[in-house]
Amino acid sequence: MRRWRRYLADERAEAAVYRDLARRRTGEERAILLALADAEGRHEAHWMSLLGEHAARVPAVSLRTRILGFFARRFGSVFVLALAQRAESRSPYESDAHATPAMAADERIHQEVVRGLAARGRVRLAGTFRAAVFGANDGLVSNLALVLGIGATGVSATTVLFTGIAGLLAGALSMGAGEYVSVRSQRELLAASSPDPDAHTAVPHLDVDANELALVYRARGMTEEEALDHARAVVAEYDPAVASARAAELRELGAAAEGHEEIGSAWGAAASSFSFFASGAIIPVIPYLLGLTGLAAVVTAAVLVGIALLVTGTIVGVLSGASPWRRAFRQLAIGYGAAAATYALGLAFGTTIA
């Protein structure tokens, strides 16, 4: 009964999470979230029927469900959907004899539904968010490695400070410029591959017996016979008004996307990459800005960067629907590994110089 009451509390809380998310959505997404809440309500009714009069004493919901509810009420973002996806994937119903097969199947399908909803948000975030996360991590790791490596040679704290600031500026400018060129190039390549919306104006003047239009369809993957038949049909059925309306629609779609939502804006990615690299790279320099020197500065910088790496790793883990702790500690291990290598090299060079 204790387990059933916990299931009941969690089903009620999860239904509330989906309703909170639905209040921040419109259209199809809202309808889907409300349908998920209704499904959780059916599961709630199952546990209430088993508990009977004991259903009145419902315990507090689990910590993960309370966290989901907190974020759903305040943010309603893709982070919440990613957390919900992970929560649905850990449903205990498949191994619980008192849960019906339909309930276990529901939970598995709920995971896929939430994955689909979260994927929409991930696409919207992908370009700029990717630049932000990688920029922050690069700033943290590269400048920590630079500061520790230079500091280990035995130079003064002032030299370490200005080296860290120089590394921050050089890295941030390089990241911003590189991200701008990368995203802009992707957009230009995709734009070059998009059909010309005004190409239809040539159709009335084509020779139906030597139809160059067939070559277009062959280039797009049709066989020679299919391409010729399709080209003849296009020429025979061509309506200038319909074709012009379709061309205008294509131009509007192209202008609205300006190339592909998942890639992001070139300036947005560059600014995000610059800002987040700088925000990451400043952290290893903070101890030296505060006047710390020697081992105290090294340990403080390492601790601050470690905390930041855990945070960024957790965010990536949550968004990917994977274990946030595994991603967090992977980030930490990679960052500390790079810093330890450069610190050891700094010690070796310092000994050689001395």
Side-chain angles (χ1 to χ4, degrees), residues 134-161:
F134 288 128
N137 275 289
D138 283 351
L140 287 164
V141 175
S142 65
N143 227 30
L144 177 66
L146 177 63
V147 165
L148 295 192
I150 293 295
T153 63
V155 299
S156 67
T158 302
T159 302
V160 176
L161 172 61

Side-chain angles (χ1 to χ4, degrees), residues 7-25:
Y7 290 162
L8 175 58
D10 283 347
E11 292 290 0
R12 284 177 177 172
E14 286 171 9
V17 167
Y18 289 132
R19 290 191 187 97
D20 285 334
L21 286 171
R23 279 195 285 271
R24 297 171 178 271
R25 297 291 196 278

Side-chain angles (χ1 to χ4, degrees), residues 8-302:
L8 175 58
D10 283 347
E11 292 290 0
R12 284 177 177 172
E14 286 171 9
V17 167
Y18 289 132
R19 290 191 187 97
D20 285 334
L21 286 171
R23 279 195 285 271
R24 297 171 178 271
R25 297 291 196 278
T26 57
E28 185 183 38
E29 287 191 27
R30 178 184 173 84
I32 291 170
L33 288 164
L34 289 175
L36 287 174
D38 290 341
E40 303 294 359
R42 293 193 298 271
H43 299 175
E44 175 189 343
H46 171 80
W47 299 118
M48 286 185 70
S49 67
L50 288 180
L51 285 164
E53 62 183 17
H54 300 286
R57 292 186 295 155
V58 177
V61 298
S62 65
L63 177 62
R64 68 175 173 82
T65 307
R66 288 201 298 273
I67 291 172
L68 271 178
F70 174 84
F71 281 104
R73 286 188 296 275
R74 284 159 180 78
F75 303 107
S77 67
V78 64
F79 290 91
V80 182
L81 288 170
L83 286 169
Q85 175 188 329
R86 182 159 173 77
E88 295 286 3
S89 71
R90 294 187 306 219
S91 171
Y93 289 169
E94 287 193 8
S95 58
D96 195 307
H98 298 99
T100 67
M103 291 169 64
D106 283 350
E107 295 296 318
R108 175 163 289 188
I109 295 302
H110 289 179
Q111 179 189 355
E112 296 307 313
V113 174
V114 176
R115 190 197 308 276
L117 291 174
R120 300 182 184 189
R122 288 184 181 117
V123 167
R124 289 191 289 267
L125 278 174
T128 303
F129 180 77
R130 174 181 58 82
V133 169
F134 288 128
N137 275 289
D138 283 351
L140 287 164
V141 175
S142 65
N143 227 30
L144 177 66
L146 177 63
V147 165
L148 295 192
I150 293 295
T153 63
V155 299
S156 67
T158 302
T159 302
V160 176
L161 172 61
F162 283 106
T163 300
I165 292 173
L168 182 158
L169 292 173
L173 289 168
S174 174
M175 287 288 293
E179 198 65 37
Y180 176 85
V181 170
S182 171
V183 173
R184 190 67 188 175
S185 298
Q186 282 182 280
R187 283 179 171 279
E188 289 168 352
L189 287 171
L190 288 167
S193 302
S194 300
D196 179 4
D198 294 319
H200 71 91
T201 56
V203 171
H205 309 292
L206 291 172
D207 182 344
V208 73
D209 295 317
N211 198 337
E212 301 294 332
L213 189 59
L215 299 178
V216 174
Y217 300 123
R218 289 173 65 185
R220 293 179 183 176
M222 290 186 182
T223 65
E224 183 176 357
E225 185 178 347
E226 290 171 339
L228 189 57
D229 289 343
H230 187 62
R232 283 174 175 165
V234 168
V235 171
E237 299 168 8
Y238 179 72
D239 183 332
V242 173
S244 296
R246 178 58 182 159
E249 188 178 312
L250 288 173
R251 276 193 293 272
E252 285 178 12
L253 288 173
E258 234 284 288
H260 316 275
E261 198 174 25
E262 65 272 15
I263 298 174
S265 156
W267 281 112
S272 176
S273 186
F274 177 93
S275 301
F276 278 88
F277 184 97
S279 65
I282 194 64
I283 291 176
V285 181
I286 289 174
Y288 296 93
L289 288 171
L290 296 176
L292 296 179
T293 59
L295 185 60
V298 168
V299 171
T300 304

Side-chain angles (χ1 to χ4, degrees), residues 311-326:
V311 170
T312 58
T314 300
I315 291 172
V316 171
V318 166
L319 275 180
S320 64
S323 169
W325 295 113
R326 186 177 301 171

